[in-house]
Amino acid sequence: MHSWTDTLRFAFQPVVNLRTGAVTALEVLARPETGDVLAEARRDPELDGRLAVLALRAAARKETLLPLHLNVFAATLADLGGLARLHDAVRAEGRMPWEVTLDIVPPCTHVPQRALLEAVGGLREQGFRISADGIGDGDVPLRLLTDLSPDLVKLDASLLARPAAVRAMRTLCEQLGALVAVEGVETELQCTAALSAGAQLAQGELFAPPARIPAADVYVPPRSAAASAQPRPGPPVREFVRPAAVLPVTASAGQVRALLTGSPEVSGVLLVDQAGVPVRSVHRSRFLLSMSGRYGHALYADRPAYKLGDAPRAVGADATAWEVLDVVAVGGSGRTSDDVAVVDHGGRCVGVVRLADLVRALAETRVEEAAGLNPLTRLPGSDAITAEVDRRIAEGRAFALSWLDIDHFKQVNDGAGFAAGDELIRSVGRALQQAAAGHARVGHIGGDDFLVLTDEEALEPLATALLDVPWSAGGRLVTLSLSTVVCRPGSVFDHRQAAAALAPVKKAAKALAGTSWVLVRAGLPGQEVRRGAAPARAGRAAAEPLG
């Protein structure tokens, strides 16, 4: 009599790092040839637990060194109180629990949440990593998501049509110390949207479909300027993490040599203790050079690899790329090509970063920033400001967006000449940079127009520095107009709404005589004149509200 396991096969789908293009892990997916064993597993916790063990063993047969993602229903964890058999199977296959991420799969509505959280806590103590799966297309309550405090949150690709929601989830994950992945990515457009919204990882047919043999190479579209517009200063190191090649600290030099010669893509090996804490770092080239020397194999093969390693270089998972460079710079020049271990709050290894990845990304950042600078003022364009506006909106932060321009600038150019006009623009740009230094973002959006993003408290000092000083070009007096929209959390939903609220304010400021400043609050009626006088025929006092 045939068992259902006789017709059960497993497929592997890579989890891809969107910044480096590297495969960071493999998700193991059950693919029954007959019947619907997954529907049965949803109703039968014991069966679901067996499936997780079989998935692990299927991956072990493929001899993959990559970390693994195994699916398990939330109800299974709540019912069984954990997966004791899986822990034993991981050890039996020579893997470490922290190399395995458990993707907790909905439904969650009728699952006892306390039991689920207790089970997850127990799995964490054993060393497993936790992922919340199906967010956006499942029924995971937001409170449960925060209580789970997962290492990874997997979003359904349908959420990409709502980029504000993805950015908000990215902000939440930063607070939780979790990465964001998007599942089901099928097109380059979706990949670009995932990058723009801040996702670090992705899966889907675009990169590689699920296959019986783990994919050696994946397709990752080249990053567009839109997808990488205005990266944050010092990108987080978590965006560059690659899987680490690890062996127990007791491993012999022969075992390390076998791993390196059998895996040419591995640049080094970390020797870790039983908890997964890096103890020594073995660099590929230096190690193989020692082993290949005269009598090298005879001398070292059976000796502990520990003796041929170096003290590991490590950074926390919340470090920035610049902090990694600082760590590399402290050591000797002979170790600049060493991998840097990335560790969690418990000191356990979560992967490695390669210096080449960091240098490449930081160089791209500088090139992208330079390409976006206005050649006259060397200030960034509007993309830098609008990206930061969307970020603040997603984070629920208040902000003030201002538009500054030079009144009757065409007449300045016609009367004083374009050289005097250019010098005036440069002077205004320099003054704006100095006034905004440390507490505002400034962009030059073309011609005589500038954008300023700041907190409301910084507006008055900024206006004083720009508006309360005399300006001239070619001996001709010049006035400036400043228009501001103050946005409280929930008053606008993206930068387009903020810009639309700002447009009529600019028109009102330009209608005033002399240097002017008009301010509005998004969602509220009325306009407040902070500087400037209404034309004499209007008969209004300078401080009287418009509208």
Side-chain angles (χ1 to χ4, degrees):
M1 182 176 180
H2 291 288
S3 166
W4 58 268
T5 57
D6 295 335
T7 59
L8 182 64
R9 301 292 182 266
F10 291 91
F12 304 88
Q13 186 169 45
V15 180
V16 177
N17 185 314
L18 290 175
R19 183 178 284 273
T20 65
V23 176
T24 65
L26 291 174
E27 182 172 357
V28 190
L29 304 165
R31 291 291 186 263
E33 295 181 357
T34 59
D36 191 352
V37 70
L38 293 180
E40 294 179 35
R42 179 175 170 178
R43 298 186 296 267
D44 185 345
E46 288 287 344
L47 175 58
D48 194 30
R50 289 180 62 193
L51 281 178
V53 172
L54 291 173
L56 171 74
R57 290 173 178 165
R61 288 195 295 272
K62 301 300 181 182
E63 297 182 350
T64 176
L65 294 173
L66 289 167
L68 303 175
H69 284 241
L70 306 179
N71 293 293
V72 59
F73 286 109
T76 296
L77 296 179
D79 186 85
L80 297 181
L83 296 170
R85 286 189 297 180
L86 178 62
H87 184 267
D88 294 339
V90 167
R91 294 293 186 182
E93 297 296 342
R95 302 296 292 260
M96 297 289 190
W98 46 268
E99 295 180 85
V100 177
T101 298
L102 295 175
D103 290 358
I104 301 178
V105 180
C108 297
T109 300
H110 300 296
V111 174
Q113 293 193 8
R114 175 173 291 183
L116 174 60
L117 293 173
E118 288 177 354
V120 168
L123 290 166
R124 274 210 174 89
E125 289 180 3
Q126 293 172 359
F128 290 104
R129 303 191 185 282
I130 302 298
S131 167
D133 202 357
I135 305 301
D137 195 38
D139 63 345
V140 182
L142 188 57
R143 187 173 69 179
L144 175 60
L145 180 62
T146 57
D147 288 344
L148 283 173
S149 191
D151 301 287
L152 175 67
V153 171
K154 290 189 173 183
L155 308 181
D156 187 81
S158 61
L159 274 186
L160 294 175
R162 301 167 178 82
V166 181
R167 286 193 294 270
M169 188 58 65
R170 164 70 187 257
T171 301
L172 173 62
C173 287
E174 287 178 347
Q175 298 296 319
L176 297 175
L179 293 176
V180 176
V182 178
E183 296 183 293
V185 175
E186 298 179 351
T187 67
E188 293 194 12
L189 189 62
Q190 286 181 319
C191 182
T192 298
L195 266 169
S196 298
Q200 296 110 336
L201 308 173
Q203 292 175 261
E205 296 279 341
L206 175 67
F207 311 106
R212 297 286 175 84
I213 299 176
D217 297 301
V218 295
Y219 170 73
V220 180
R223 298 183 68 201
S224 66
S228 54
Q230 194 61 24
R232 300 182 187 186
V237 72
R238 294 173 73 94
E239 297 185 4
F240 302 92
V241 173
R242 292 175 176 265
V246 296
L247 286 173
V249 70
T250 55
S252 68
Q255 289 175 294
V256 172
R257 183 177 184 277
L259 190 158
L260 291 175
T261 54
S263 306
E265 75 282 0
V266 172
S267 55
V269 177
L270 289 176
L271 304 178
V272 300
D273 63 17
Q274 289 189 342
V277 176
V279 177
R280 301 294 278 179
S281 173
V282 178
H283 183 267
R284 179 187 188 91
S285 298
R286 294 197 300 273
F287 175 84
L288 292 180
L289 185 62
S290 298
M291 290 291 287
S292 62
R294 191 177 185 184
Y295 308 123
H297 189 273
L299 284 173
Y300 298 117
D302 295 326
R303 298 181 65 184
Y306 179 97
K307 296 182 179 295
L308 294 176
D310 300 288
R313 290 173 165 177
V315 295
D318 54 355
T320 68
W322 294 110
E323 290 176 275
V324 177
L325 294 185
D326 289 340
V327 169
V328 172
V330 168
S333 59
R335 295 192 62 190
T336 53
S337 62
D338 287 22
D339 292 343
V340 176
V342 181
V343 297
D344 61 16
H345 293 297
R348 300 178 305 171
C349 178
V350 299
V352 295
V353 290
R354 294 180 180 174
L355 183 62
D357 288 338
L358 299 186
V359 172
R360 187 183 306 112
L362 293 173
E364 289 173 356
T365 297
R366 291 294 179 257
V367 170
E368 290 160 3
E369 289 175 350
L373 297 180
N374 186 286
L376 192 61
T377 60
R378 308 304 295 167
L379 289 171
S382 60
D383 284 350
I385 305 300
T386 56
E388 182 63 25
V389 167
D390 284 336
R391 193 170 296 129
R392 290 201 182 199
I393 291 171
E395 293 171 355
R397 297 169 56 192
F399 63 90
L401 183 63
S402 299
W403 191 333
L404 176 76
D405 69 332
I406 301 169
D407 296 329
H408 312 297
F409 183 69
K410 185 177 185 303
Q411 296 178 19
V412 173
N413 268 350
D414 291 345
F418 72 86
D422 285 352
E423 182 54 38
L424 176 61
I425 289 175
R426 279 192 288 265
S427 297
V428 171
R430 284 194 296 268
L432 197 51
Q433 277 185 295
Q434 292 171 1
H439 57 75
R441 297 290 300 277
V442 179
H444 184 184
I445 60 176
D448 62 315
D449 293 316
F450 298 86
L451 277 180
V452 185
L453 175 66
T454 186
D455 296 326
E456 184 178 0
E457 298 75 26
L459 285 173
E460 190 61 46
L462 188 90
T464 299
L466 270 295
L467 304 182
D468 294 354
V469 297
W471 292 96
S472 64
R476 303 165 62 96
L477 291 178
V478 175
T479 60
L480 307 180
S481 294
L482 182 65
S483 48
T484 300
V485 57
V486 177
C487 301
R488 299 293 181 187
S491 61
V492 293
F493 297 99
D494 60 23
H495 71 268
R496 296 176 184 84
Q497 279 195 328
L502 192 57
V505 191
K506 179 185 179 185
K507 184 176 180 181
K510 300 291 283 186
L512 298 175
T515 293
S516 61
W517 178 21
V518 178
L519 180 145
V520 300
R521 299 182 185 279
L524 299 178
Q527 298 174 336
E528 178 185 350
V529 175
R530 296 283 186 94
R531 302 279 197 287
R537 57 186 173 82
R540 295 189 181 190
E544 182 182 346
L546 294 178

